[in-house]
Amino acid sequence: MNDLEIKRLADHLADTGLVLTALGQQIRRATNEDDCRQMIAKAVNQSALAHRTALDINSESVAKHKLVGVADDE
């Protein structure tokens, strides 16, 4: 992974952290079980999105490096 890809991933994870922190605060303040469950579902979805995005960024990086490696061999 190059510096740009690492920064992109770090920025994405930092943004996700902010969203999850806000959801955590809302969950603590929830006044009923349905609201709490809805916010927990949002947090789970946000976590899954962050994971998929991290995997996508990593896959892009691996693919680029493999393509560069193939081009360099030619």
Side-chain angles (χ1 to χ4, degrees):
M1 230 181 231
N2 65 34
D3 289 346
L4 183 62
E5 291 163 332
I6 291 169
K7 181 175 180 355
R8 184 175 151 215
L9 177 58
D11 288 346
H12 174 71
L13 293 174
D15 292 345
T16 299
L18 293 173
V19 171
L20 291 173
T21 298
L23 284 169
Q25 292 170 350
Q26 290 176 354
I27 290 166
R28 278 193 219 108
R29 292 187 302 243
T31 56
N32 65 57
E33 190 174 337
D34 287 337
D35 288 347
C36 188
R37 286 176 193 253
Q38 188 176 37
M39 286 180 265
I40 289 170
K42 286 181 184 178
V44 169
N45 287 337
Q46 186 67 35
S47 295
L49 176 62
H51 185 252
R52 278 192 308 272
T53 301
L55 289 173
D56 289 346
I57 291 170
N58 187 56
S59 294
E60 289 171 13
S61 174
V62 169
K64 283 180 192 174
H65 292 291
K66 283 186 179 178
L67 290 174
V68 169
V70 169
D72 289 344
D73 290 342
E74 292 181 5

